[in-house]
Amino acid sequence: METFLIRLLQFILAISLLVLLHEGGHMFFAKLFGVRVEKFFVFFDVSIGKWKGKLFSWKPKKDDTEYGMGWLPLGGYCKISGMIDESFDTEQMKKAPEPWEFRTKPAWQRLLIMIGGVLVNFVLALFIYSMIMFTWGDTYFKVSDMKMGMRFNADAKALGFHDHDVMLGTDQGPFREYANVNGDFFRQIAQAKRVDVLRNGKKVSIKLPGDMDMLPMIKTRPFFAEPYIPAQVDSVMKGTPADKAGIKAGDVIKSINGKPVSTWSDVNYQTGVLNDVMAVKNTHKDSVMARTVVLAVQHKGETKIDTMKVLMTPDLKLGVYQSTLATYYKPVEEHYSFFESFPAGIKHGWGVLRGYIGNFRYLASADGAKSLGGFGAIGSLFPPYWDWYMFWSMTAFLSIILAFMNILPIPALDGGHVVFLLYEMITRRKPSEKFMVRAEYIGITLLIILMVFANLNDILRWLHIM
């Protein structure tokens, strides 16, 4: 429960900040051009009966804007006079146009007002990434430094990869790090026509088609490729099944229930198989039988293999900390001065955006649609503990997502309004108010359907149905 609340707090704080600044971007340009902003709300103040849906609000003296917070945490809005938006205030549009209204302003001013939120989100993301570079620098494990190489799945081996191949680079350039939030490592392989590896001390080139589907690479278990990390125990928690069985730090797990394992990826896969078995066990006796596993363990400094029975915890844990990349490799650490951090942060942020746009095309596939997530999926991106580095990294990432999604040419989003404004600027004709209202209804309907679908995916994943 505690980890859930920590994640929830981080999620709400990040979303509130992003929505506040996004809507602030619209309001800044609106007030800059003399357009009246009637309401500025973080979250939606949806009315229920006589309740207006406001948690609180206030209106400063000599200001036309009411500021407040609604109860529905699905975003926020900035109600601009003389504009058809999600408020559907058509009564106002029937009145004679006023000089302070959005509809009376030149098209170029209206365009800046509409892209103000997206612009703020892009700049915010780049600024946060820059400050992350300045405060923490950049730490990563270089792929070519992983001398034990990679562990590949059957699909990768069919293309010519061998376990322990050290990944060097592709025809697009050298690999940097194994994985990050935008999946550059897998995208580079998917787009490559040649991958260079170091095999038994010799450089080998593997030919690839150059247009592989990246989605199966990261959705299939085991992954297409992942660092070879031996199933060596880093440390053991006291009083756990592993501790009671006599497993010590430095021991290596060789098999589970007779299934050979050599890496932690193998161990996790076998644990996943046991989890599937547990899902259909109805009695306590059956559950205990499923959790009782036979381990083959090679103790540190010994050559013989010790076989033991271990009763795992109900959530199928042994009680050991796994060895990691940091156990075997030294990370690359890059530090930046204040002024150096800005080009580094902009470069990183641009890479994240490019990767997200590259991944977006996969949503058209069935697997891509299943990968869509709602509030639960977004919240799970935050760590179950408070970490400022992770919080700001995820906030910057969400800021880029919010900017990109809002600029899509969908009615009801900023991008939809931008399309209509560009049409007006090119043809010198405004779309009719009737058309704009219908487009807004269609856009909001599409967004609600998408939101329901994404959150339904979260529920199905939570129920282990998908």
Side-chain angles (χ1 to χ4, degrees):
M1 185 63 178
E2 181 181 353
T3 59
F4 170 77
L5 291 176
I6 291 174
R7 278 179 164 149
L8 179 63
L9 180 60
Q10 292 179 85
F11 172 71
I12 291 176
L13 181 59
I15 292 297
S16 299
L17 174 66
L18 296 180
V19 169
L20 178 69
L21 293 176
H22 177 92
E23 299 302 330
H26 292 307
M27 184 170 71
F28 170 79
F29 283 104
K31 295 205 170 190
L32 179 67
F33 299 131
V35 178
R36 183 175 294 174
V37 178
E38 298 176 15
K39 295 178 73 173
F40 181 87
F41 267 66
V42 175
F43 303 156
F44 291 113
D45 54 333
V46 179
S47 300
I48 300 178
K50 295 182 179 180
W51 186 49
K52 298 301 182 182
K54 303 175 187 177
L55 295 181
F56 61 85
S57 69
W58 78 97
K59 191 172 184 178
K61 291 182 179 179
K62 298 181 180 180
D63 194 335
D64 297 313
T65 307
E66 177 188 3
Y67 302 88
M69 176 177 282
W71 67 273
L72 188 61
L74 299 181
Y77 71 100
C78 176
K79 189 177 186 309
I80 297 173
S81 292
M83 175 183 168
I84 297 174
D85 57 12
E86 59 270 20
S87 66
F88 295 108
D89 189 0
T90 55
E91 292 302 316
Q92 183 185 68
M93 303 302 291
K94 294 177 182 178
K95 299 177 183 178
E98 299 287 353
W100 62 77
E101 289 186 339
F102 177 84
R103 55 180 164 168
T104 62
K105 299 300 178 180
W108 68 271
Q109 291 185 4
R110 285 180 279 136
L111 181 63
L112 285 174
I113 292 172
M114 290 316 308
I115 66 172
V118 169
L119 183 62
V120 166
N121 282 130
F122 274 130
V123 172
L124 175 66
L126 298 179
F127 177 75
I128 292 175
Y129 280 131
S130 298
M131 291 301 95
I132 287 174
M133 293 297 181
F134 173 65
T135 306
W136 290 283
D138 193 11
T139 302
Y140 62 93
F141 293 94
K142 194 175 180 180
V143 172
S144 59
D145 288 345
M146 300 177 189
K147 300 307 179 185
M148 286 185 288
M150 294 278 169
R151 179 68 182 272
F152 299 92
N153 67 12
D155 293 335
K157 290 177 180 177
L159 292 168
F161 292 98
H162 293 184
D163 285 340
H164 297 292
D165 280 352
V166 178
M167 306 289 277
L168 301 177
T170 71
D171 50 327
Q172 302 175 22
F175 290 113
R176 186 176 185 268
E177 57 186 308
Y178 166 69
N180 50 31
V181 73
N182 56 4
D184 285 343
F185 175 81
F186 293 105
R187 185 177 300 101
Q188 193 171 342
I189 296 174
Q191 297 173 355
K193 293 185 177 180
R194 188 196 77 247
V195 175
D196 298 324
V197 303
L198 194 66
R199 182 180 298 165
N200 299 324
K202 295 181 180 180
K203 184 178 178 180
V204 176
S205 294
I206 300 170
K207 291 183 179 181
L208 295 180
D211 58 352
M212 294 170 57
D213 188 349
M214 188 183 86
L215 205 57
M217 291 183 174
I218 58 179
K219 288 184 67 69
T220 305
R221 296 295 185 275
F223 291 127
F224 182 90
E226 52 192 326
Y228 193 100
I229 302 178
Q232 185 177 34
V233 176
D234 181 75
S235 57
V236 180
M237 290 174 269
K238 290 185 178 180
T240 60
D243 184 38
K244 294 174 183 177
I247 296 175
K248 307 291 184 183
D251 291 353
V252 179
I253 300 174
K254 292 293 186 178
S255 72
I256 300 177
N257 288 339
K259 304 291 184 181
V261 296
S262 57
T263 67
W264 282 115
S265 176
D266 296 334
V267 173
N268 295 334
Y269 178 77
Q270 292 301 327
T271 303
V273 172
L274 291 174
N275 189 60
D276 292 339
V277 173
M278 286 279 291
V280 297
K281 297 299 181 183
N282 298 319
T283 67
H284 175 70
K285 182 179 179 181
D286 289 340
S287 174
V288 170
M289 288 181 63
R291 290 191 287 124
T292 303
V293 297
V294 178
L295 299 181
V297 178
Q298 183 178 3
H299 295 292
K300 184 178 181 181
E302 298 181 10
T303 55
K304 69 175 185 177
I305 306 297
D306 188 12
T307 302
M308 59 185 72
K309 275 190 176 183
V310 179
L311 176 63
M312 301 178 78
T313 63
D315 58 349
L316 297 176
K317 302 295 184 183
L318 286 171
V320 302
Y321 289 107
Q322 302 178 359
S323 56
T324 65
L325 285 173
T327 307
Y328 306 100
Y329 306 115
K330 185 178 179 180
V332 176
E333 296 182 0
E334 297 176 349
H335 299 281
Y336 302 91
S337 68
F338 181 76
F339 292 106
E340 290 173 336
S341 68
F342 286 97
I346 291 170
K347 181 181 178 181
H348 180 76
W350 180 253
V352 172
L353 173 62
R354 188 181 59 213
Y356 186 75
I357 293 174
N359 294 345
F360 197 74
R361 67 187 180 93
Y362 293 108
L363 292 180
S365 67
D367 286 339
K370 290 179 182 178
S371 68
L372 273 175
F375 300 118
I378 296 173
S380 67
L381 295 174
F382 291 93
Y385 49 87
W386 197 275
D387 183 296
W388 282 113
Y389 171 80
M390 288 299 298
F391 171 79
W392 287 117
S393 295
M394 288 311 308
T395 300
F397 180 56
L398 291 177
S399 190
I400 282 181
I401 292 177
L402 183 62
F404 176 73
M405 294 299 292
N406 263 285
I407 205 62
L408 291 176
I410 299 173
L413 293 180
D414 296 341
H417 290 280
V418 167
V419 168
F420 297 139
L421 280 167
L422 291 175
Y423 168 82
E424 178 187 340
M425 294 171 75
I426 293 170
T427 64
R428 306 291 181 179
R429 292 188 304 171
K430 280 187 178 183
S432 68
E433 291 180 5
K434 186 177 182 180
F435 171 82
M436 293 294 289
V437 170
R438 287 180 176 177
E440 196 78 12
Y441 273 119
I442 292 171
I444 287 181
T445 302
L446 289 173
L447 293 176
I448 291 174
I449 292 172
L450 182 62
M451 189 180 300
V452 170
F453 181 79
N455 284 283
L456 181 60
N457 278 353
D458 284 351
I459 296 171
L460 294 176
R461 279 190 286 266
W462 181 65
L463 295 173
H464 302 290
I465 297 175
M466 188 174 68

